[in-house]
Amino acid sequence: MSYHEKVYDITRQIPVGKFSTYGSIADYLHLGSARMVGWALKQIDFMDDSIPAHRVLNSKGELSGRNAFPTPETMQVRLEMEGIKVKNWKVVDYDGCYWHPQELDEL
DNA sequence: ACTATGACTCGAG
DNA sequence: CCTCGAGCCATAG
Protein backbone atom coordinates (compact mmCIF):
# COMPACT_ATOMS: atom_id res chain seq x y z
CA MET A 1 0.00 0.00 0.00
CA SER A 2 1.59 3.26 -1.10
CA TYR A 3 1.62 6.20 1.23
CA HIS A 4 -0.87 8.06 -1.00
CA GLU A 5 -3.43 5.34 -0.32
CA LYS A 6 -2.78 5.57 3.40
CA VAL A 7 -3.31 9.31 3.27
CA TYR A 8 -6.58 8.84 1.38
CA ASP A 9 -7.62 6.16 3.86
CA ILE A 10 -7.11 8.46 6.84
CA THR A 11 -8.68 11.43 5.09
CA ARG A 12 -11.84 9.43 4.39
CA GLN A 13 -12.14 8.71 8.11
CA ILE A 14 -12.10 12.30 9.29
CA PRO A 15 -15.51 12.80 10.98
CA VAL A 16 -18.01 15.25 9.49
CA GLY A 17 -17.74 18.58 11.27
CA LYS A 18 -14.07 17.99 12.06
CA PHE A 19 -10.76 18.71 10.32
CA SER A 20 -7.23 17.37 10.59
CA THR A 21 -3.84 18.68 9.53
CA TYR A 22 -1.04 17.65 7.18
CA GLY A 23 1.36 17.36 10.08
CA SER A 24 -0.81 15.13 12.26
CA ILE A 25 -1.52 12.77 9.37
CA ALA A 26 2.15 12.64 8.38
CA ASP A 27 3.00 11.94 11.99
CA TYR A 28 0.40 9.18 12.36
CA LEU A 29 1.54 7.47 9.15
CA HIS A 30 5.22 8.10 9.95
CA LEU A 31 5.77 9.76 6.59
CA GLY A 32 8.40 12.07 8.01
CA SER A 33 7.15 15.02 6.03
CA ALA A 34 3.85 16.90 5.92
CA ARG A 35 4.69 17.90 2.34
CA MET A 36 4.00 14.31 1.28
CA VAL A 37 0.46 14.55 2.63
CA GLY A 38 -0.17 17.73 0.69
CA TRP A 39 1.34 16.23 -2.42
CA ALA A 40 -0.83 13.12 -2.14
CA LEU A 41 -3.98 15.15 -1.59
CA LYS A 42 -3.50 17.35 -4.61
CA GLN A 43 -3.56 14.22 -6.79
CA ILE A 44 -7.12 13.50 -5.65
CA ASP A 45 -9.31 15.98 -7.53
CA PHE A 46 -8.79 14.23 -10.84
CA MET A 47 -9.07 10.65 -9.62
CA ASP A 48 -11.52 10.46 -6.71
CA ASP A 49 -13.91 13.13 -5.45
CA SER A 50 -15.23 10.86 -2.67
CA ILE A 51 -12.29 11.90 -0.53
CA PRO A 52 -13.05 14.85 1.77
CA ALA A 53 -9.75 16.60 1.09
CA HIS A 54 -11.29 19.87 2.30
CA ARG A 55 -11.06 18.54 5.87
CA VAL A 56 -7.26 18.59 5.80
CA LEU A 57 -5.73 21.97 6.68
CA ASN A 58 -2.30 23.25 7.69
CA SER A 59 -1.09 23.42 11.30
CA LYS A 60 -2.70 26.83 11.87
CA GLY A 61 -6.13 25.68 10.69
CA GLU A 62 -5.82 27.66 7.45
CA LEU A 63 -7.19 26.49 4.07
CA SER A 64 -3.78 26.48 2.39
CA GLY A 65 -4.95 24.10 -0.35
CA ARG A 66 -7.95 26.11 -1.53
CA ASN A 67 -6.28 26.97 -4.83
CA ALA A 68 -6.14 23.30 -5.84
CA PHE A 69 -9.96 23.09 -5.85
CA PRO A 70 -12.20 24.01 -8.81
CA THR A 71 -12.64 27.41 -7.17
CA PRO A 72 -10.95 28.76 -4.00
CA GLU A 73 -14.35 28.99 -2.32
CA THR A 74 -15.11 25.25 -2.74
CA MET A 75 -13.05 24.25 0.28
CA GLN A 76 -14.61 26.84 2.60
CA VAL A 77 -18.16 26.20 1.39
CA ARG A 78 -17.84 22.46 2.02
CA LEU A 79 -16.44 23.01 5.51
CA GLU A 80 -19.20 25.44 6.45
CA MET A 81 -21.82 23.04 5.11
CA GLU A 82 -20.47 20.52 7.61
CA GLY A 83 -20.61 23.01 10.45
CA ILE A 84 -17.03 24.26 10.50
CA LYS A 85 -16.91 28.05 10.54
CA VAL A 86 -14.20 29.59 8.36
CA LYS A 87 -13.11 33.23 8.56
CA ASN A 88 -10.49 34.78 6.26
CA TRP A 89 -9.38 31.28 5.10
CA LYS A 90 -8.94 29.91 8.61
CA VAL A 91 -10.98 27.87 11.06
CA VAL A 92 -12.68 29.88 13.79
CA ASP A 93 -13.08 27.15 16.44
CA TYR A 94 -9.76 25.36 15.98
CA ASP A 95 -9.68 23.45 19.28
CA GLY A 96 -13.36 22.53 19.04
CA CYS A 97 -13.11 21.01 15.54
CA TYR A 98 -9.58 19.61 15.50
CA TRP A 99 -9.32 15.87 15.00
CA HIS A 100 -6.17 13.73 15.19
CA PRO A 101 -6.00 10.31 13.45
CA GLN A 102 -4.68 8.98 16.76
CA GLU A 103 -8.34 8.77 17.81
CA LEU A 104 -8.80 5.82 15.43
CA ASP A 105 -6.70 3.71 17.79
CA GLU A 106 -8.74 4.72 20.80
CA LEU A 107 -11.99 3.30 19.49
C1' DA B 1 23.17 12.85 -10.43
C1' DC B 2 21.47 17.72 -9.65
C1' DT B 3 18.21 21.50 -9.06
C1' DA B 4 13.74 23.42 -8.26
C1' DT B 5 9.21 23.15 -6.39
C1' DG B 6 5.58 22.43 -3.23
C1' DA B 7 -2.22 21.78 -0.26
C1' DC B 8 4.13 21.86 5.35
C1' DT B 9 6.08 23.18 10.14
C1' DC B 10 8.45 25.42 13.78
C1' DG B 11 11.14 28.80 16.00
C1' DA B 12 13.28 33.42 16.04
C1' DG B 13 13.10 38.41 15.26
C1' DC C 1 0.72 40.23 11.64
C1' DC C 2 4.94 39.38 8.58
C1' DT C 3 9.57 37.62 7.00
C1' DC C 4 13.53 34.23 7.15
C1' DG C 5 15.88 30.06 7.58
C1' DA C 6 16.22 25.28 8.12
C1' DG C 7 14.43 20.65 7.85
C1' DC C 8 11.55 17.84 5.24
C1' DC C 9 11.21 14.28 0.79
C1' DA C 10 8.52 12.66 -3.57
C1' DT C 11 8.32 14.32 -8.30
C1' DA C 12 9.43 16.71 -12.48
C1' DG C 13 12.74 18.28 -15.88
Side-chain angles (χ1 to χ4, degrees):
Chain A
M1 190 183 219
S2 61
Y3 73 87
H4 329 45
E5 297 177 274
K6 293 184 178 181
V7 171
Y8 302 156
D9 197 47
I10 293 298
T11 304
R12 267 190 282 252
Q13 300 187 62
I14 300 176
V16 173
K18 296 280 190 174
F19 73 88
S20 195
T21 68
Y22 304 97
S24 62
I25 292 174
D27 182 55
Y28 182 77
L29 296 178
H30 303 123
L31 295 183
S33 176
R35 290 182 182 280
M36 303 295 80
V37 178
W39 184 87
L41 289 176
K42 80 176 174 185
Q43 310 297 309
I44 293 178
D45 54 352
F46 60 81
M47 54 185 290
D48 191 341
D49 57 350
S50 69
I51 302 174
H54 58 280
R55 296 186 195 143
V56 183
L57 316 176
N58 69 12
S59 64
K60 296 174 191 159
E62 299 170 328
L63 286 53
S64 53
R66 61 179 180 282
N67 291 308
F69 284 79
T71 68
E73 299 79 38
T74 306
M75 200 171 183
Q76 176 168 340
V77 171
R78 286 183 178 174
L79 287 171
E80 302 214 304
M81 279 186 69
E82 299 177 355
I84 298 177
K85 296 288 196 306
V86 175
K87 193 79 171 182
N88 201 344
W89 304 123
K90 55 179 189 285
V91 171
V92 176
D93 184 12
Y94 188 102
D95 295 324
C97 301
Y98 180 72
W99 179 86
H100 190 289
Q102 180 83 48
E103 294 182 27
L104 291 173
D105 297 331
E106 299 170 356
L107 291 173

